[in-house]
Amino acid sequence: MRVPRLSVTLLRTLAATDSRPKEDSQPAEKSVPIEEPIVVDRKAIEKLTEGLLSHYLPDLYSSKQALLELNQNQVILLDTLDQEVTKFRDCNSLLDLNSLFTEAKFYHGKLVNIRKDMIMLHEKTTKLKKRALKLQQQRQKEAMEKEQQRQKELERERQLIAKPAKRT
């Protein structure tokens, strides 16, 4: 039977109180210690075991509870870290924000330039329409003047044509 290491001194004190006669009664100077198997009563072993267990078990149970709680906290922490890593991976899978903003700024500049060009073209087309309208009005005026001139010439020619006199 194996005896726990911590109770060896206690067992030796119990063995010292054993009433068995010693076979080797030599003086202490010449004696060499011989290890003898220690024989201990079964009840003593049970009581020592109970005492040892009652001394260490509460601490072991509290340590076990602390370790279980620590393990649960680690699992929660690992889950949280996994979620954070997933979030970072999602962010990295998107386009880099700096390049996205740079690209947006670039295209915004292009849109501003296109708008300026559109405004300039609108102004030019407005001016051209006004000019075309003026030219059309001028041509109509000239055509009307020519028509009036022609009418006047025709009237004049009619008046110049000799008219036969009426006989009376």
Side-chain angles (χ1 to χ4, degrees), residues 55-94:
H55 184 268
Y56 287 107
L57 272 182
D59 291 337
L60 288 176
Y61 282 132
S62 64
S63 296
K64 181 180 179 181
Q65 290 300 325
L67 286 174
L68 287 174
E69 184 179 342
L70 181 64
N71 194 16
Q72 289 173 349
N73 290 340
Q74 284 179 340
V75 167
I76 292 170
L77 182 63
L78 285 174
D79 288 343
T80 305
L81 283 175
D82 189 40
Q83 291 172 359
E84 292 297 321
V85 166
T86 304
K87 287 180 186 176
F88 281 120
R89 284 186 184 152
D90 290 344
C91 287
N92 287 336
S93 68
L94 296 174

Side-chain angles (χ1 to χ4, degrees), residues 111-126:
L111 286 173
V112 168
N113 290 336
I114 289 172
R115 184 170 182 229
K116 286 179 184 177
D117 291 344
M118 293 290 286
I119 291 171
M120 184 182 65
L121 288 174
H122 178 69
E123 290 173 358
K124 284 184 178 181
T125 55
T126 305

Side-chain angles (χ1 to χ4, degrees), residues 17-62:
T17 59
D18 193 8
S19 58
R20 287 185 292 159
K22 298 201 177 193
E23 295 173 8
D24 196 16
S25 322
Q26 295 178 2
E29 301 169 353
K30 294 183 182 179
S31 71
V32 175
I34 300 174
E35 289 197 24
E36 293 181 21
I38 301 173
V39 179
V40 182
D41 186 20
R42 191 146 192 83
K43 286 183 181 179
I45 291 175
E46 286 177 11
K47 285 187 179 184
L48 286 172
T49 305
E50 285 176 19
L52 184 67
L53 288 177
S54 67
H55 184 268
Y56 287 107
L57 272 182
D59 291 337
L60 288 176
Y61 282 132
S62 64

